[in-house]
Amino acid sequence: MVAPVVPTPAPAPKPEIKANPRAAIAAKTLRNDRWWVSPAISFAVLSAFVIYATWAAFDNGNYYVKPYISPFYSPCLAHICGAAHHGNTGVPPHLSIFGAWWAISPAIIILIFPLGFRMTCYYYRRAYYRAFWMSPPACAVAEPHKSYSGETRFPLIMQNIHRYFFFAGLVFNVLLTYDAVVAFVEPRAASYGGGYVGLGSFVLLINAVLLWMYSASCHSCRHIVGGRLKHFSKHPIRFKMWGVVSKLNTRHMQLAWTSLIFVALTDVYVRLAASGALGHGRWI
Amino acid sequence: MTYDLKLRIWRGDAKGGALQDFTVPVDDGEVVLDAVHHVQALRAGDLSVRWNCKAGKCGSCSAEINGRPRLMCMSRLSDFPKDEPITITPMRTFPVIKDLVTDVSFNYVKAAEVLAFTPTAEQPKAPFRMAQVDVERSQEFRKCIECFLCQDVCHVVRDHEENKQAYAGPRFFLRYAELDMHPNDALDRKKLAQEERGLGLCNITKCCTEVCPEHIKITDNAIIPMKERVVDVKYDPIRFLRRKPKAKV
């Protein structure tokens, strides 16, 4: 039986906390280690990804070589995917939900979902609050802002919709897994030497596995599968699932970085293969 | 082996102060608190420092060592280069009393604001029978030694004194999480934590977890689960629509 909730008593008036003087230390930090390295790496890698992903999303070309499709462009929901000239790389699978009027890159339609998932992710929040907003740049290093409202106001209060992006991310994981399976069972374009399994099949597969692991290690996932329970003992299956997700959750940071970098590398691979830069061998 | 260690210790009180240099003989295997005691014994008998167990369990000797919030008794001298001075300052977030001693009463005010464990009238009286898995969940939180390093490092109050009134801090979010996850606690502490205790001010930069000497995963196991529980009751439209209407009293 779930414990019935009793009304929370009105909080007592808060005693005033007097702002007595702190120790007079002028330096913003007395840390003498290289505290700036970690935020600098986050800044560099995230900036590089944003620049690359923006270019790749607007490029609107070289995103498909039968049977490989770039994760930036899957699912392809615009008529333009079938209408565009794809040379000898084949016509990508697509749904013409967005008709001929959609003239720009079809990646723009879908990227808000994986982008939103990562933007609201508890790990990435830590990374970009530190690296970009310097709030704070590192522990015990003073932040430059005069006031601070955290995640209590718009737009940062929107971080609370993370779980919806998580669900949307699951849909994308299913679709990208389907793309990976297709990469193993569909023959390659004849101009690429035919055959079934190539390096790209494994690239798409690894990408899908990493994305599943990143999603499964998500804090919202951990909450949904069992974290919200009050009685673990009364829900043994959800408790076990929570335990598995909790183990993955301890690696959430590593999975966030690995999956982010690999999704870009997957796009690079498909792009190089589609453009012919990798040649036309059976191994591609 | 004995060697001479250079220390820079902040000395002063609420009216002002500055870093003061000392050199004291120390032995291999000693900790920073030992070195501070050597300063007290040999160089500055009026140096104020708060300490008690010297075993990392009382949480008294919190300070900032080379700018990082740490327990002095758990900071081995062998972790620092012998030829570089070690800087020791009081915790920055709290008002200074004298030298390395700060007034941590802010935390006691926040502790008093936590509503006590509240079972419903229908439940059997304590002691409750609880399954081990339910006990284990909160046992991690009970490891807290109240050194208040997490409160000290949290930039919400460290860099913004004005937030102290509204913000309970990571140590007490630990407490709110522990009670909200307790199978027999009947209060709903989610909205309370968000609306009255400033949970939304936390931007989960994990510094509290980094400095915790008990290695409690404050952010991952307490603050983020509480934020998710708050989403359940405040920011989840689907759960809001599915909610049963309140019974008329």
Side-chain angles (χ1 to χ4, degrees), chain A residues 59-103:
Chain A
D59 182 51
N60 197 15
N62 289 329
Y63 56 81
Y64 181 72
V65 53
K66 193 183 177 206
Y68 310 140
I69 186 163
S70 160
F72 287 5
Y73 286 80
S74 180
C76 203
L77 301 179
H79 176 74
I80 193 174
C81 300
H85 177 67
H86 292 281
N88 55 7
T89 59
V91 175
H94 62 282
L95 294 169
S96 297
I97 295 172
F98 289 74
W101 57 270
W102 185 270

mmCIF file of all heavy atoms in Angstrom, chain A residues 59-103:
data_model
loop_
_atom_site.group_PDB
_atom_site.id
_atom_site.type_symbol
_atom_site.label_atom_id
_atom_site.label_comp_id
_atom_site.label_asym_id
_atom_site.label_seq_id
_atom_site.Cartn_x
_atom_site.Cartn_y
_atom_site.Cartn_z
ATOM 1 N N ASP A 59 23.740 21.391 -45.114
ATOM 2 C CA ASP A 59 24.423 21.041 -46.366
ATOM 3 C C ASP A 59 23.469 20.423 -47.385
ATOM 4 O O ASP A 59 23.575 20.674 -48.583
ATOM 5 C CB ASP A 59 25.582 20.085 -46.052
ATOM 6 C CG ASP A 59 26.347 19.734 -47.300
ATOM 7 O OD1 ASP A 59 26.742 20.657 -48.033
ATOM 8 O OD2 ASP A 59 26.541 18.528 -47.561
ATOM 9 N N ASN A 60 22.549 19.578 -46.885
ATOM 10 C CA ASN A 60 21.520 19.000 -47.735
ATOM 11 C C ASN A 60 22.097 18.204 -48.906
ATOM 12 O O ASN A 60 21.617 18.300 -50.036
ATOM 13 C CB ASN A 60 20.581 20.107 -48.248
ATOM 14 C CG ASN A 60 19.284 19.520 -48.785
ATOM 15 O OD1 ASN A 60 18.980 18.348 -48.528
ATOM 16 N ND2 ASN A 60 18.543 20.307 -49.550
ATOM 17 N N GLY A 61 23.125 17.459 -48.662
ATOM 18 C CA GLY A 61 23.689 16.613 -49.718
ATOM 19 C C GLY A 61 24.618 15.587 -49.113
ATOM 20 O O GLY A 61 25.075 15.723 -47.969
ATOM 21 N N ASN A 62 24.901 14.536 -49.877
ATOM 22 C CA ASN A 62 25.823 13.483 -49.442
ATOM 23 C C ASN A 62 25.431 12.853 -48.115
ATOM 24 O O ASN A 62 26.288 12.504 -47.316
ATOM 25 C CB ASN A 62 27.263 14.041 -49.314
ATOM 26 C CG ASN A 62 27.864 14.336 -50.670
ATOM 27 O OD1 ASN A 62 27.556 13.669 -51.651
ATOM 28 N ND2 ASN A 62 28.708 15.346 -50.722
ATOM 29 N N TYR A 63 24.131 12.713 -47.897
ATOM 30 C CA TYR A 63 23.717 12.101 -46.641
ATOM 31 C C TYR A 63 23.205 10.675 -46.829
ATOM 32 O O TYR A 63 22.771 10.033 -45.880
ATOM 33 C CB TYR A 63 22.666 12.949 -45.919
ATOM 34 C CG TYR A 63 21.430 13.269 -46.727
ATOM 35 C CD1 TYR A 63 20.395 12.354 -46.853
ATOM 36 C CD2 TYR A 63 21.303 14.512 -47.338
ATOM 37 C CE1 TYR A 63 19.262 12.658 -47.580
ATOM 38 C CE2 TYR A 63 20.179 14.819 -48.067
ATOM 39 C CZ TYR A 63 19.150 13.894 -48.196
ATOM 40 O OH TYR A 63 18.044 14.196 -48.924
ATOM 41 N N TYR A 64 23.253 10.204 -48.043
ATOM 42 C CA TYR A 64 22.775 8.836 -48.273
ATOM 43 C C TYR A 64 23.616 8.158 -49.334
ATOM 44 O O TYR A 64 23.920 8.741 -50.378
ATOM 45 C CB TYR A 64 21.312 8.849 -48.727
ATOM 46 C CG TYR A 64 20.748 7.470 -48.951
ATOM 47 C CD1 TYR A 64 20.467 6.637 -47.872
ATOM 48 C CD2 TYR A 64 20.509 6.992 -50.241
ATOM 49 C CE1 TYR A 64 19.950 5.366 -48.074
ATOM 50 C CE2 TYR A 64 19.984 5.720 -50.434
ATOM 51 C CZ TYR A 64 19.711 4.909 -49.345
ATOM 52 O OH TYR A 64 19.210 3.647 -49.536
ATOM 53 N N VAL A 65 24.038 6.953 -49.028
ATOM 54 C CA VAL A 65 24.618 6.077 -50.043
ATOM 55 C C VAL A 65 24.060 4.695 -49.731
ATOM 56 O O VAL A 65 24.260 4.165 -48.641
ATOM 57 C CB VAL A 65 26.164 6.118 -50.039
ATOM 58 C CG1 VAL A 65 26.744 5.849 -48.657
ATOM 59 C CG2 VAL A 65 26.735 5.143 -51.045
ATOM 60 N N LYS A 66 23.325 4.183 -50.641
ATOM 61 C CA LYS A 66 22.577 2.956 -50.385
ATOM 62 C C LYS A 66 23.476 1.870 -49.798
ATOM 63 O O LYS A 66 24.512 1.563 -50.400
ATOM 64 C CB LYS A 66 21.971 2.466 -51.699
ATOM 65 C CG LYS A 66 20.922 1.398 -51.512
ATOM 66 C CD LYS A 66 20.395 0.892 -52.832
ATOM 67 C CE LYS A 66 19.407 -0.237 -52.519
ATOM 68 N NZ LYS A 66 19.265 -1.174 -53.584
ATOM 69 N N PRO A 67 23.136 1.287 -48.657
ATOM 70 C CA PRO A 67 21.940 1.470 -47.823
ATOM 71 C C PRO A 67 22.210 2.307 -46.567
ATOM 72 O O PRO A 67 21.500 2.158 -45.587
ATOM 73 C CB PRO A 67 21.611 0.039 -47.430
ATOM 74 C CG PRO A 67 22.966 -0.592 -47.263
ATOM 75 C CD PRO A 67 23.894 0.093 -48.245
ATOM 76 N N TYR A 68 23.224 3.133 -46.593
ATOM 77 C CA TYR A 68 23.568 3.897 -45.383
ATOM 78 C C TYR A 68 22.959 5.294 -45.438
ATOM 79 O O TYR A 68 23.137 6.008 -46.434
ATOM 80 C CB TYR A 68 25.083 4.055 -45.245
ATOM 81 C CG TYR A 68 25.886 2.781 -45.386
ATOM 82 C CD1 TYR A 68 27.092 2.786 -46.074
ATOM 83 C CD2 TYR A 68 25.429 1.585 -44.841
ATOM 84 C CE1 TYR A 68 27.834 1.633 -46.213
ATOM 85 C CE2 TYR A 68 26.158 0.424 -44.978
ATOM 86 C CZ TYR A 68 27.370 0.444 -45.669
ATOM 87 O OH TYR A 68 28.090 -0.695 -45.809
ATOM 88 N N ILE A 69 22.323 5.689 -44.328
ATOM 89 C CA ILE A 69 21.804 7.052 -44.243
ATOM 90 C C ILE A 69 22.416 7.723 -43.008
ATOM 91 O O ILE A 69 22.591 7.086 -41.964
ATOM 92 C CB ILE A 69 20.257 7.081 -44.196
ATOM 93 C CG1 ILE A 69 19.757 8.533 -44.259
ATOM 94 C CG2 ILE A 69 19.701 6.358 -42.973
ATOM 95 C CD1 ILE A 69 18.295 8.664 -44.621
ATOM 96 N N SER A 70 22.753 8.971 -43.170
ATOM 97 C CA SER A 70 23.344 9.696 -42.043
ATOM 98 C C SER A 70 22.334 9.841 -40.913
ATOM 99 O O SER A 70 21.154 10.107 -41.161
ATOM 100 C CB SER A 70 23.783 11.090 -42.506
ATOM 101 O OG SER A 70 23.916 11.937 -41.389
ATOM 102 N N PRO A 71 22.771 9.696 -39.667
ATOM 103 C CA PRO A 71 21.830 9.882 -38.547
ATOM 104 C C PRO A 71 21.286 11.298 -38.466
ATOM 105 O O PRO A 71 20.227 11.521 -37.881
ATOM 106 C CB PRO A 71 22.685 9.548 -37.309
ATOM 107 C CG PRO A 71 24.102 9.640 -37.759
ATOM 108 C CD PRO A 71 24.117 9.326 -39.218
ATOM 109 N N PHE A 72 21.963 12.265 -39.069
ATOM 110 C CA PHE A 72 21.439 13.638 -39.064
ATOM 111 C C PHE A 72 20.201 13.779 -39.961
ATOM 112 O O PHE A 72 19.467 14.741 -39.841
ATOM 113 C CB PHE A 72 22.508 14.624 -39.549
ATOM 114 C CG PHE A 72 23.623 14.883 -38.559
ATOM 115 C CD1 PHE A 72 23.704 14.193 -37.372
ATOM 116 C CD2 PHE A 72 24.583 15.834 -38.829
ATOM 117 C CE1 PHE A 72 24.729 14.421 -36.469
ATOM 118 C CE2 PHE A 72 25.621 16.081 -37.934
ATOM 119 C CZ PHE A 72 25.696 15.371 -36.755
ATOM 120 N N TYR A 73 20.029 12.844 -40.870
ATOM 121 C CA TYR A 73 18.950 12.966 -41.858
ATOM 122 C C TYR A 73 17.919 11.845 -41.747
ATOM 123 O O TYR A 73 17.103 11.682 -42.641
ATOM 124 C CB TYR A 73 19.545 12.982 -43.268
ATOM 125 C CG TYR A 73 20.221 14.284 -43.614
ATOM 126 C CD1 TYR A 73 21.503 14.563 -43.169
ATOM 127 C CD2 TYR A 73 19.564 15.260 -44.358
ATOM 128 C CE1 TYR A 73 22.130 15.763 -43.464
ATOM 129 C CE2 TYR A 73 20.177 16.462 -44.669
ATOM 130 C CZ TYR A 73 21.459 16.704 -44.217
ATOM 131 O OH TYR A 73 22.073 17.904 -44.528
ATOM 132 N N SER A 74 17.970 11.072 -40.687
ATOM 133 C CA SER A 74 17.034 9.959 -40.550
ATOM 134 C C SER A 74 16.151 10.177 -39.318
ATOM 135 O O SER A 74 16.681 10.415 -38.225
ATOM 136 C CB SER A 74 17.811 8.655 -40.400
ATOM 137 O OG SER A 74 16.921 7.570 -40.269
ATOM 138 N N PRO A 75 14.844 10.083 -39.459
ATOM 139 C CA PRO A 75 14.077 9.762 -40.655
ATOM 140 C C PRO A 75 13.945 10.972 -41.575
ATOM 141 O O PRO A 75 13.876 12.108 -41.100
ATOM 142 C CB PRO A 75 12.713 9.376 -40.087
ATOM 143 C CG PRO A 75 12.590 10.216 -38.858
ATOM 144 C CD PRO A 75 13.979 10.328 -38.295
ATOM 145 N N CYS A 76 13.896 10.695 -42.861
ATOM 146 C CA CYS A 76 13.768 11.774 -43.836
ATOM 147 C C CYS A 76 12.285 11.983 -44.115
ATOM 148 O O CYS A 76 11.629 11.096 -44.650
ATOM 149 C CB CYS A 76 14.525 11.384 -45.095
ATOM 150 S SG CYS A 76 14.972 12.808 -46.040
ATOM 151 N N LEU A 77 11.762 13.115 -43.700
ATOM 152 C CA LEU A 77 10.311 13.322 -43.723
ATOM 153 C C LEU A 77 9.858 14.284 -44.813
ATOM 154 O O LEU A 77 8.720 14.721 -44.819
ATOM 155 C CB LEU A 77 9.848 13.865 -42.355
ATOM 156 C CG LEU A 77 10.141 12.977 -41.143
ATOM 157 C CD1 LEU A 77 9.660 13.636 -39.868
ATOM 158 C CD2 LEU A 77 9.500 11.608 -41.299
ATOM 159 N N ALA A 78 10.760 14.632 -45.725
ATOM 160 C CA ALA A 78 10.395 15.637 -46.729
ATOM 161 C C ALA A 78 10.452 15.055 -48.143
ATOM 162 O O ALA A 78 11.244 14.156 -48.433
ATOM 163 C CB ALA A 78 11.330 16.844 -46.619
ATOM 164 N N HIS A 79 9.613 15.599 -48.972
ATOM 165 C CA HIS A 79 9.552 15.202 -50.377
ATOM 166 C C HIS A 79 10.908 15.393 -51.057
ATOM 167 O O HIS A 79 11.294 14.621 -51.942
ATOM 168 C CB HIS A 79 8.492 16.063 -51.065
ATOM 169 C CG HIS A 79 8.389 15.824 -52.539
ATOM 170 N ND1 HIS A 79 7.799 14.696 -53.068
ATOM 171 C CD2 HIS A 79 8.827 16.565 -53.585
ATOM 172 C CE1 HIS A 79 7.865 14.757 -54.389
ATOM 173 N NE2 HIS A 79 8.480 15.875 -54.734
ATOM 174 N N ILE A 80 11.622 16.399 -50.594
ATOM 175 C CA ILE A 80 12.893 16.760 -51.222
ATOM 176 C C ILE A 80 13.902 15.604 -51.184
ATOM 177 O O ILE A 80 14.769 15.492 -52.049
ATOM 178 C CB ILE A 80 13.473 18.018 -50.536
ATOM 179 C CG1 ILE A 80 14.600 18.608 -51.357
ATOM 180 C CG2 ILE A 80 13.950 17.730 -49.136
ATOM 181 C CD1 ILE A 80 15.111 19.927 -50.810
ATOM 182 N N CYS A 81 13.771 14.716 -50.193
ATOM 183 C CA CYS A 81 14.719 13.600 -50.086
ATOM 184 C C CYS A 81 14.648 12.708 -51.325
ATOM 185 O O CYS A 81 15.665 12.201 -51.807
ATOM 186 C CB CYS A 81 14.423 12.741 -48.866
ATOM 187 S SG CYS A 81 14.517 13.648 -47.335
ATOM 188 N N GLY A 82 13.423 12.503 -51.811
ATOM 189 C CA GLY A 82 13.275 11.649 -52.992
ATOM 190 C C GLY A 82 13.509 12.404 -54.274
ATOM 191 O O GLY A 82 13.893 11.818 -55.296
ATOM 192 N N ALA A 83 13.277 13.711 -54.207
ATOM 193 C CA ALA A 83 13.354 14.497 -55.433
ATOM 194 C C ALA A 83 14.763 14.959 -55.753
ATOM 195 O O ALA A 83 15.103 15.186 -56.903
ATOM 196 C CB ALA A 83 12.441 15.715 -55.313
ATOM 197 N N ALA A 84 15.584 15.077 -54.721
ATOM 198 C CA ALA A 84 16.924 15.617 -54.956
ATOM 199 C C ALA A 84 17.740 14.667 -55.819
ATOM 200 O O ALA A 84 17.507 13.458 -55.837
ATOM 201 C CB ALA A 84 17.619 15.853 -53.628
ATOM 202 N N HIS A 85 18.701 15.215 -56.472
ATOM 203 C CA HIS A 85 19.558 14.394 -57.317
ATOM 204 C C HIS A 85 20.602 13.722 -56.439
ATOM 205 O O HIS A 85 21.378 14.382 -55.747
ATOM 206 C CB HIS A 85 20.244 15.282 -58.367
ATOM 207 C CG HIS A 85 21.188 14.500 -59.220
ATOM 208 N ND1 HIS A 85 20.751 13.539 -60.097
ATOM 209 C CD2 HIS A 85 22.537 14.525 -59.315
ATOM 210 C CE1 HIS A 85 21.809 13.004 -60.705
ATOM 211 N NE2 HIS A 85 22.913 13.594 -60.248
ATOM 212 N N HIS A 86 20.599 12.423 -56.414
ATOM 213 C CA HIS A 86 21.530 11.705 -55.556
ATOM 214 C C HIS A 86 22.559 10.915 -56.358
ATOM 215 O O HIS A 86 23.216 10.016 -55.830
ATOM 216 C CB HIS A 86 20.782 10.769 -54.622
ATOM 217 C CG HIS A 86 19.963 11.502 -53.613
ATOM 218 N ND1 HIS A 86 20.490 12.066 -52.490
ATOM 219 C CD2 HIS A 86 18.640 11.809 -53.605
ATOM 220 C CE1 HIS A 86 19.529 12.665 -51.804
ATOM 221 N NE2 HIS A 86 18.408 12.526 -52.465
ATOM 222 N N GLY A 87 22.644 11.205 -57.642
ATOM 223 C CA GLY A 87 23.678 10.562 -58.458
ATOM 224 C C GLY A 87 23.545 9.052 -58.413
ATOM 225 O O GLY A 87 22.444 8.504 -58.515
ATOM 226 N N ASN A 88 24.642 8.365 -58.199
ATOM 227 C CA ASN A 88 24.600 6.902 -58.190
ATOM 228 C C ASN A 88 24.579 6.333 -56.776
ATOM 229 O O ASN A 88 24.934 5.192 -56.561
ATOM 230 C CB ASN A 88 25.799 6.341 -58.971
ATOM 231 C CG ASN A 88 27.103 6.889 -58.417
ATOM 232 O OD1 ASN A 88 27.096 7.566 -57.398
ATOM 233 N ND2 ASN A 88 28.201 6.583 -59.090
ATOM 234 N N THR A 89 24.178 7.145 -55.807
ATOM 235 C CA THR A 89 24.162 6.663 -54.419
ATOM 236 C C THR A 89 22.804 6.123 -54.007
ATOM 237 O O THR A 89 22.648 5.621 -52.908
ATOM 238 C CB THR A 89 24.541 7.784 -53.434
ATOM 239 O OG1 THR A 89 23.604 8.850 -53.580
ATOM 240 C CG2 THR A 89 25.941 8.288 -53.693
ATOM 241 N N GLY A 90 21.802 6.209 -54.888
ATOM 242 C CA GLY A 90 20.471 5.713 -54.566
ATOM 243 C C GLY A 90 19.586 6.799 -53.977
ATOM 244 O O GLY A 90 20.065 7.864 -53.599
ATOM 245 N N VAL A 91 18.281 6.486 -53.925
ATOM 246 C CA VAL A 91 17.324 7.449 -53.361
ATOM 247 C C VAL A 91 17.044 7.043 -51.915
ATOM 248 O O VAL A 91 16.681 5.902 -51.649
ATOM 249 C CB VAL A 91 16.012 7.449 -54.181
ATOM 250 C CG1 VAL A 91 14.980 8.362 -53.525
ATOM 251 C CG2 VAL A 91 16.291 7.880 -55.602
ATOM 252 N N PRO A 92 17.248 7.939 -50.967
ATOM 253 C CA PRO A 92 17.051 7.556 -49.560
ATOM 254 C C PRO A 92 15.605 7.227 -49.249
ATOM 255 O O PRO A 92 14.689 7.811 -49.844
ATOM 256 C CB PRO A 92 17.498 8.813 -48.806
ATOM 257 C CG PRO A 92 17.470 9.909 -49.782
ATOM 258 C CD PRO A 92 17.674 9.318 -51.132
ATOM 259 N N PRO A 93 15.371 6.302 -48.316
ATOM 260 C CA PRO A 93 13.996 6.038 -47.886
ATOM 261 C C PRO A 93 13.432 7.294 -47.232
ATOM 262 O O PRO A 93 14.133 7.970 -46.485
ATOM 263 C CB PRO A 93 14.165 4.904 -46.868
ATOM 264 C CG PRO A 93 15.584 4.994 -46.410
ATOM 265 C CD PRO A 93 16.362 5.560 -47.541
ATOM 266 N N HIS A 94 12.200 7.617 -47.547
ATOM 267 C CA HIS A 94 11.651 8.858 -46.996
ATOM 268 C C HIS A 94 10.134 8.809 -46.975
ATOM 269 O O HIS A 94 9.509 7.985 -47.660
ATOM 270 C CB HIS A 94 12.107 10.058 -47.838
ATOM 271 C CG HIS A 94 11.639 10.008 -49.236
ATOM 272 N ND1 HIS A 94 12.235 9.206 -50.185
ATOM 273 C CD2 HIS A 94 10.611 10.640 -49.874
ATOM 274 C CE1 HIS A 94 11.602 9.361 -51.334
ATOM 275 N NE2 HIS A 94 10.621 10.211 -51.169
ATOM 276 N N LEU A 95 9.573 9.692 -46.187
ATOM 277 C CA LEU A 95 8.135 9.912 -46.170
ATOM 278 C C LEU A 95 7.918 11.363 -46.581
ATOM 279 O O LEU A 95 8.586 12.249 -46.046
ATOM 280 C CB LEU A 95 7.564 9.690 -44.766
ATOM 281 C CG LEU A 95 7.632 8.261 -44.215
ATOM 282 C CD1 LEU A 95 7.274 8.259 -42.734
ATOM 283 C CD2 LEU A 95 6.686 7.356 -44.977
ATOM 284 N N SER A 96 7.005 11.592 -47.495
ATOM 285 C CA SER A 96 6.815 12.966 -47.976
ATOM 286 C C SER A 96 5.791 13.706 -47.128
ATOM 287 O O SER A 96 4.853 14.320 -47.644
ATOM 288 C CB SER A 96 6.397 12.948 -49.439
ATOM 289 O OG SER A 96 7.419 12.385 -50.222
ATOM 290 N N ILE A 97 5.974 13.631 -45.804
ATOM 291 C CA ILE A 97 5.049 14.357 -44.913
ATOM 292 C C ILE A 97 5.174 15.855 -45.174
ATOM 293 O O ILE A 97 4.190 16.593 -45.185
ATOM 294 C CB ILE A 97 5.367 14.026 -43.444
ATOM 295 C CG1 ILE A 97 5.099 12.543 -43.192
ATOM 296 C CG2 ILE A 97 4.555 14.894 -42.494
ATOM 297 C CD1 ILE A 97 5.552 12.031 -41.846
ATOM 298 N N PHE A 98 6.386 16.305 -45.354
ATOM 299 C CA PHE A 98 6.617 17.695 -45.758
ATOM 300 C C PHE A 98 6.756 17.694 -47.270
ATOM 301 O O PHE A 98 7.683 17.086 -47.822
ATOM 302 C CB PHE A 98 7.887 18.242 -45.083
ATOM 303 C CG PHE A 98 7.714 18.457 -43.608
ATOM 304 C CD1 PHE A 98 7.669 17.377 -42.735
ATOM 305 C CD2 PHE A 98 7.568 19.742 -43.092
ATOM 306 C CE1 PHE A 98 7.492 17.572 -41.373
ATOM 307 C CE2 PHE A 98 7.390 19.939 -41.727
ATOM 308 C CZ PHE A 98 7.347 18.843 -40.866
ATOM 309 N N GLY A 99 5.809 18.329 -47.924
ATOM 310 C CA GLY A 99 5.714 18.244 -49.385
ATOM 311 C C GLY A 99 6.790 19.029 -50.107
ATOM 312 O O GLY A 99 7.807 19.440 -49.520
ATOM 313 N N ALA A 100 6.515 19.281 -51.371
ATOM 314 C CA ALA A 100 7.513 19.934 -52.225
ATOM 315 C C ALA A 100 7.815 21.360 -51.760
ATOM 316 O O ALA A 100 8.846 21.919 -52.120
ATOM 317 C CB ALA A 100 7.003 19.956 -53.663
ATOM 318 N N TRP A 101 6.895 21.917 -50.958
ATOM 319 C CA TRP A 101 7.133 23.290 -50.473
ATOM 320 C C TRP A 101 8.332 23.369 -49.547
ATOM 321 O O TRP A 101 8.904 24.430 -49.348
ATOM 322 C CB TRP A 101 5.885 23.818 -49.763
ATOM 323 C CG TRP A 101 5.441 22.956 -48.616
ATOM 324 C CD1 TRP A 101 4.565 21.913 -48.661
ATOM 325 C CD2 TRP A 101 5.873 23.056 -47.246
ATOM 326 N NE1 TRP A 101 4.417 21.343 -47.427
ATOM 327 C CE2 TRP A 101 5.212 22.030 -46.533
ATOM 328 C CE3 TRP A 101 6.733 23.901 -46.559
ATOM 329 C CZ2 TRP A 101 5.394 21.825 -45.175
ATOM 330 C CZ3 TRP A 101 6.910 23.702 -45.197
ATOM 331 C CH2 TRP A 101 6.260 22.673 -44.527
ATOM 332 N N TRP A 102 8.698 22.237 -48.941
ATOM 333 C CA TRP A 102 9.858 22.248 -48.033
ATOM 334 C C TRP A 102 11.118 22.200 -48.890
ATOM 335 O O TRP A 102 11.467 21.163 -49.448
ATOM 336 C CB TRP A 102 9.808 21.060 -47.076
ATOM 337 C CG TRP A 102 10.927 21.121 -46.057
ATOM 338 C CD1 TRP A 102 12.164 20.588 -46.182
ATOM 339 C CD2 TRP A 102 10.914 21.790 -44.796
ATOM 340 N NE1 TRP A 102 12.922 20.865 -45.083
ATOM 341 C CE2 TRP A 102 12.182 21.611 -44.211
ATOM 342 C CE3 TRP A 102 9.960 22.532 -44.093
ATOM 343 C CZ2 TRP A 102 12.519 22.136 -42.964
ATOM 344 C CZ3 TRP A 102 10.307 23.038 -42.848
ATOM 345 C CH2 TRP A 102 11.557 22.849 -42.298
ATOM 346 N N ALA A 103 11.789 23.311 -48.970
ATOM 347 C CA ALA A 103 12.886 23.411 -49.935
ATOM 348 C C ALA A 103 14.267 23.317 -49.307
ATOM 349 O O ALA A 103 15.253 23.093 -50.008
ATOM 350 C CB ALA A 103 12.761 24.732 -50.696
#
